Amino acid sequence: MARQLRLSLRRPAAQTRDSFVPGASNAAARAALDAWPHWPGGTLVLAGPQGVGKSHLARAWAAGARALVMDRNTPDVAAASGRPVLLEDVDQGVEGEALFHLINLAAQDGASLLLTARAPPATWPAAIPDLRSRLNALHVAEIAAPDDEVLTGVLRRFFRERNIRPHDDVYPYLLRRMERSIPGAQEIVRRLDETEDGEMRPVSRVLARQILEGDTENLDLFEG
């Protein structure tokens, strides 16, 4: 019953700009996005490792710009003419000729192109010589791995979405020990939430230690 009540109280996650946690590690990316629609050549690349918030920022931009969110496996070049377009995970594989035409279209009036990738465009494969020159000239905004400010804000947001109010000392404890990524923060909050639901314990540093160390039997032995 407690588990069912907790699920019913959870707030839905939202990929909006207001819900994005700002910090020094993503300041350059936020500033570059805010320069839209005056991107050089109409195109911007958001680059950074997995789990730093590229997709969150990109989807928030797409919603505000009313952009076409395009499938990289089936890019529709004709549909991109004269409008904003979002294309994610480009370094994971996009047909070269289609990407070449999308970059060219982005320079037209009313058009723009936001690309996301883990690696910068200079490293993307390009069999077409003209595409290589286009990629090398793209404006890139990098997002670094989340710093303590961002991770704390992300943890607070994930706890809030699950209607959890952890003890204040939980945050510095987690920051020193958790995987330093947004998915890592989401996973540790999920595990803490499930343990709390099952055992009816508050989210404390003791419970955090139990989860991080994988101890499901000796919680009461820990003093924090």
Side-chain angles (χ1 to χ4, degrees), residues 18-19 33 148 152 155 180-181 217:
D18 288 343
S19 67
L33 279 173
D148 283 359
T152 299
L155 284 168
R180 297 187 67 82
S181 72
E217 298 178 356

Side-chain angles (χ1 to χ4, degrees), residues 79-153:
S81 182
R83 64 177 303 179
V85 172
L86 168 61
L87 188 62
E88 295 206 73
D89 300 321
V90 179
D91 56 337
Q92 303 302 304
V94 175
E95 199 276 318
E97 187 172 352
L99 182 56
F100 175 74
H101 288 305
L102 287 172
I103 294 171
N104 287 340
L105 286 172
Q108 298 178 354
D109 289 343
S112 52
L113 177 63
L114 178 60
L115 306 172
T116 71
R118 298 180 190 177
T123 68
W124 302 351
I128 304 171
D130 285 345
L131 175 59
R132 168 51 56 206
S133 64
R134 296 289 194 282
L135 294 180
N136 291 342
L138 292 180
H139 180 52
V140 181
E142 294 193 16
I143 306 182
D147 53 24
D148 283 359
E149 178 184 12
V150 171
L151 282 177
T152 299

Side-chain angles (χ1 to χ4, degrees), residues 6 8 13 24 26 36 43 51-53 57 75 93 96-97 120 161-162 168 172 182 205:
R6 169 58 62 79
S8 66
N26 54 50
W36 178 81
T43 299
V52 296
L57 267 183
E97 187 172 352
E161 288 171 355
R162 290 174 176 265
D168 289 340
I182 294 174
R205 197 173 73 169

Side-chain angles (χ1 to χ4, degrees), residues 4-27:
Q4 291 176 344
L5 289 173
R6 169 58 62 79
L7 286 170
S8 66
L9 289 171
R10 284 179 187 161
R11 306 173 188 177
Q15 285 189 323
T16 65
R17 185 63 181 268
D18 288 343
S19 67
F20 186 81
V21 179
S25 60
N26 54 50

